[in-house]
Amino acid sequence: MTPLPERAGRRCHNALNALHSALYFSPALGKELAPYGIDDPHAVNLATRSAPLGAVGAGTVTATFYNYSHTLVARFVPEVWDAASPETVLAARLRAADSTLRHLLGEETVTSPQMAEAARLALRAAEGCTRSGRPLYAANADLPTPPVEQAPHLALWHAATLLREHRGDGHIAALQHAELDALEALVSHTASGHGMNPVWVMRTRGYNERDWAAAQSRLAERGLLGGDGELTEEGVALRKHLEEETDRLDRRPYELLGAEGVARLTELAGGFARTATEAGAFPADLRGKG
């Protein structure tokens, strides 16, 4: 395995994750599931991301997603599987990924040699992922890989999903080691300036302003958050350590690909991600502290 420049794996992941996550902001996902009676946005999100795990209960979804309110999850899981089986949801997810990427990137791009090159590089990186202790990655790794020759954009989306969930599973381990609960992790991430807007977080993760304020108080008691809602010096250091620890736990896929491969994949995926963003893949108010 080849040593990489500092944060090279993180930069590559960020570019790929934009392609993975674009699906979850796409109206195509809701349209695919609406015929089965899954039309609440929370149900759509919970079902499509947890479907690789099978017809699991609310406890499993809360544990593996980590930062969602269990009360929110339990409103829809496991009842959502009465509306559509995990296999049905997975088929709908892949159809939605197809239409979303075609819409955002255009037909010429999704069938281009560059798309196929990116897919092969990302799949090669994913060979460095490990299943042990990484439930969301492991569940997605058991799914069939779309053929690069027939659907390079779906092969890339699948690989991006594997790499995203592999990093996410490792990040949860780092959060637990730092003793940050689900909402404390979200609040401190937002306070760092790199997280999502609190209003958006509370709406999509199932929390309210009282929950948010309580998490802020807990962080303040630990000396991680100041009275102005900003991270203290200790809080900044903790968030930096969390990202570095996540990088360490996620280094194997990118070391396997090597510095040259990582640089090329970052270049290709970054270009696709910029195109998708410019096409409106993400809401304008997604980021920010308030």
Side-chain angles (χ1 to χ4, degrees):
M1 293 189 180
T2 308
L4 300 176
E6 187 178 6
R7 293 191 292 276
R10 191 191 307 181
R11 287 191 293 271
C12 190
H13 163 266
N14 288 342
L16 288 165
N17 188 46
L19 297 174
H20 156 83
S21 60
L23 172 65
Y24 293 96
F25 294 93
S26 171
L29 203 53
K31 289 178 182 177
E32 286 288 349
L33 289 176
Y36 305 101
I38 303 175
D39 49 14
D40 185 287
H42 294 300
V44 170
N45 180 271
L46 292 167
T48 50
R49 190 161 167 239
S50 67
L53 295 165
V56 295
T60 299
V61 175
T62 302
T64 52
F65 284 25
Y66 194 71
N67 59 21
Y68 283 66
S69 159
H70 182 66
T71 300
L72 172 67
V73 174
R75 281 175 54 196
F76 301 101
V77 179
E79 284 77 11
V80 69
W81 309 127
D82 294 332
S85 68
E87 293 77 15
T88 296
V89 171
L90 287 170
R93 186 176 83 164
L94 199 60
R95 291 194 301 270
D98 178 39
S99 60
T100 296
L101 292 175
R102 289 180 186 277
H103 169 71
L104 293 173
L105 301 178
E107 291 293 327
E108 184 175 345
T109 297
V110 299
T111 58
S112 67
Q114 291 79 13
M115 181 65 69
E117 180 186 2
R120 291 189 178 94
L121 287 168
L123 288 169
R124 173 58 177 159
E127 291 175 11
C129 297
T130 56
R131 284 180 167 82
S132 299
R134 300 181 191 260
L136 275 173
Y137 160 73
N140 279 278
D142 284 344
L143 301 178
T145 301
V148 175
E149 296 76 12
Q150 283 79 43
H153 61 305
L154 294 182
L156 178 60
W157 186 85
H158 175 72
T161 299
L162 296 179
L163 292 165
R164 182 261 175 271
E165 299 296 15
H166 186 268
R167 184 177 179 88
D169 286 335
H171 187 61
I172 289 172
L175 291 172
Q176 290 182 313
H177 189 260
E179 298 184 74
L180 290 177
D181 68 26
L183 191 48
E184 290 165 4
L186 290 169
V187 171
S188 61
H189 192 211
T190 291
S192 74
H194 299 290
M196 279 82 73
N197 183 294
V199 174
W200 186 86
V201 171
M202 286 185 276
R203 183 176 71 245
T204 59
R205 269 50 176 175
Y207 299 104
N208 56 42
E209 291 183 1
R210 182 181 299 175
D211 298 326
W212 191 270
Q216 287 180 314
S217 294
R218 294 194 298 274
L219 292 169
E221 289 172 3
R222 291 179 59 181
L224 301 174
L225 200 69
D228 56 0
E230 299 289 326
L231 290 177
T232 62
E233 185 175 334
E234 186 178 350
V236 170
L238 177 60
R239 288 301 323 184
K240 183 175 185 291
H241 172 73
L242 282 168
E243 294 306 320
E244 291 172 347
E245 183 66 1
T246 302
D247 289 344
R248 186 183 70 81
L249 294 172
D250 192 42
R251 69 187 186 278
R252 289 176 57 87
Y254 303 100
E255 288 178 345
L256 178 64
L257 189 56
E260 184 177 341
V262 169
R264 179 57 174 161
L265 180 55
T266 304
E267 177 188 7
L268 291 167
F272 300 147
R274 284 190 294 275
T275 299
T277 300
E278 290 167 1
F282 306 102
D285 61 348
L286 178 62
R287 297 287 180 180
K289 298 181 183 181

